[in-house]
Each structure stands twice: as C-alpha cells, then as structure tokens.
Amino acid sequence: MKISPLTIYIIGASFFVAIVSFGFFMKYLPNSQEAEMYQQNLEALQAEANKLPKAEKRREEALQMVADTSAKWRQVVATKTPSNNVNTGGISLAVNAWQLSVDTRKFRNNVQRLLNTQLRKGGVEVVNGPYIPGIEDNVRASDILASYYNYPALPFPVVIYDLGQVTVRGTYEQITAHVRAYSSMPQFLAVADGLAITGTSPNLTGTYNLQLVGFIRGNNIFPGLPEGAGGGQGGAQGGMMGMGGPPMGMMGPGGPGRGAPGMPGGGGPSMSGMQGAGGAAAPGEN
C-alpha cells in the first residue's frame, strides 16, 4: 500500500507535536518554575540579609542598655544597700538561725542609729520620731528569715520598714532641706512623702510619712537545720540568692511588725520627744 504525502505530513507533524510537548511539559516548564522558585528564594534571602545590619545594631543597643542598667544597679548596691557585715552596720544571712537572731538585733540597733543621724539633717527639731521594729517575741529563730527579711515570699531578702508619720519643727528652709536629705540617705532607699507644713513662719511644724527599704547583700543563705534540732527550733531556710536586678516594682505596703524594746540586744531608745538624741550613724562599709 502506497502512503500518500499527506499521510506522511500528518505523521511527521504528530511526532513533532509529541516531541515539542514532551520538551515543554517535561523539561522547559518544570525548569522554568524551578528557576522562578530559586529566584524567589534568592530574593527572600537577600531581604533577610539586608536586615542583618539593623538586627546587629539592635543587638548592640540592647547589650548597651543591659550594661548601663547593670552599672546603675552597681551604684545602688554600693551606696543604697547595707553591707553584709554586722560589724559595719549591715547583716549577713550566711549564718545559722541562732546567730541570725543575735545579729538581727544588732542590725536593728544599727539601723536605728543610722536613722537617728538622718533625722537631724536640715537642723530640725524632732517632735515625733520613728522607731525601727525588731524581732517580735513570739518569732522562732527559724522564722526570722521569713518574718523579718521577707524571704522566700519575695525573690530576694529585703527589709521593709513602714515607719508611719514623722513630725519635726523648724523653719520652712530647714524642714524642706530635712525631707530632701532622705534622697541621699546611705545604705537604704528612703521614701518621705505626704509632707504637710503648718504654723506661722518661722516656727513651722512639718509632718510626713516615712518608709525605708533595704536590699540585703549576699551570695547564699545558710542551709536549714533539721526540724527538731535545738529544742524544736529549725534552722534558717536554705537556698541561693543574690543581688540581681530587682525590678523596682516589688515595694509594697507593710513591713515587719514592731519589736519589743525589752528584748536582749534589741529596741533602742524611742525617738518621741527627742531633740538631737540618738547615737552615731552606722559605720561605713569596708
């Protein structure tokens, strides 16, 4: 049978279409899509690479902020916290519960002397002075850490003295200088607010509320004694603590209760009616 030229053309065209279709759908189109995906991926990577300098700059700024905050906190620790040595007016929690009960009474007396010195700032006459609370009579040695130093209720040991209202007499300049002086009080963060001045100049009377906050330094707390040791009195609670950054929002109302003046080693003289009384300021830190 003889094949006509038309049939040959049709068969050839069919083979051509098949070959072209195979090349387009199996080679060209997938490669084109893959090339497009590579291009999109390259553009995405380039966009991310362009962000690296900004990210590095933000990282450097964040590190600088951390360094600045740490430097400021070190200044606070150096000037606004008690030392970790009871002989220099501070307190150490790296001692057993029995020693802590003795040292806390000494610490309370040192704080009272420091406050008495602060109350004379500005040359005012103290009419109603604050009393630093001590350890309550019914507090066990094993509970001093929790009741007096607020640990572990707070993430780190801290004493909070809510001292109530203070009354002083003097001129306007003396009273305002006296209140401003709390901003530079050593070893503690002092807050004197609600100042009200009455009377006729120059004989004025000033009243204000006073709170003291003291962050306790140290790297550890003495491990607890077994319950029942020494007549059923447990030791101080164990744990690690340090002077990290406090988030300053922890200051809250209230503080330890007032101690009994008659307890051994505790309770200094009342500031009521004092005029220039009260011992020397606590020694500086070593």
Side-chain angles (χ1 to χ4, degrees):
M1 181 179 70
K2 185 177 179 181
I3 300 175
S4 66
L6 179 60
T7 302
I8 294 174
Y9 291 147
I10 292 174
I11 293 173
S14 300
F15 275 111
F16 177 76
V17 170
I19 293 171
V20 171
S21 299
F22 176 83
F24 180 78
F25 289 106
M26 300 301 295
K27 298 295 184 180
Y28 175 79
L29 184 59
N31 290 342
S32 177
Q33 293 175 340
E34 184 176 6
E36 184 178 356
M37 287 189 293
Y38 279 132
Q39 182 63 31
Q40 292 175 351
N41 189 38
L42 177 62
E43 292 174 356
L45 292 174
Q46 185 62 47
E48 292 299 320
N50 293 336
K51 296 178 182 178
L52 288 177
K54 295 181 179 179
E56 182 63 25
K57 183 178 179 180
R58 289 195 299 268
R59 176 180 176 274
E60 293 176 356
E61 291 175 349
L63 291 175
Q64 186 60 46
M65 290 174 63
V66 171
D68 293 343
T69 302
S70 298
K72 291 178 181 178
W73 180 244
R74 284 192 295 270
Q75 293 177 356
V76 172
V77 172
T79 60
K80 291 293 186 179
T81 62
S83 73
N84 58 359
N85 188 334
V86 70
N87 295 322
T88 58
I91 188 69
S92 171
L93 301 184
V95 296
N96 63 63
W98 316 113
Q99 186 62 48
L100 184 61
S101 67
V102 175
D103 291 349
T104 297
R105 290 177 171 87
K106 295 179 181 179
F107 175 62
R108 179 261 158 218
N109 291 342
N110 287 332
V111 177
Q112 184 70 65
R113 284 192 287 269
L114 179 66
L115 180 58
N116 291 352
T117 300
Q118 185 68 33
L119 287 167
R120 295 196 292 267
K121 300 293 184 180
V124 296
E125 172 192 351
V126 179
V127 177
N128 177 34
Y131 175 85
I132 298 295
I135 305 171
E136 295 182 350
D137 286 328
N138 59 349
V139 174
R140 302 187 310 168
S142 59
D143 296 331
I144 293 175
L145 192 62
S147 64
Y148 203 81
Y149 298 98
N150 299 289
Y151 183 84
L154 295 175
F156 38 80
V158 57
V159 288
I160 304 173
Y161 299 126
D162 190 355
L163 301 175
Q165 194 173 80
V166 181
T167 304
V168 296
R169 288 199 188 106
T171 64
Y172 178 82
E173 290 75 15
Q174 288 174 326
I175 293 175
T176 53
H178 167 76
V179 173
R180 290 194 188 102
Y182 282 108
S183 63
S184 59
M185 180 177 178
Q187 303 186 43
F188 286 86
L189 296 171
V191 178
D193 61 358
L195 175 63
I197 299 177
T198 59
T200 303
S201 183
N203 299 315
L204 301 174
T205 299
T207 58
Y208 58 89
N209 298 313
L210 180 63
Q211 297 85 30
L212 298 183
V213 177
F215 294 102
I216 306 303
R217 301 191 197 187
N219 295 320
N220 60 74
I221 297 175
F222 191 81
L225 297 174
E227 190 66 30
Q233 300 274 348
Q237 299 183 41
M240 299 298 297
M241 64 87 173
M243 285 297 299
M248 295 302 292
M250 52 68 58
M251 299 180 188
R258 292 184 178 271
M263 294 183 66
S270 172
M271 290 294 298
S272 179
M274 181 201 76
Q275 298 187 21
E285 293 184 19
N286 291 333

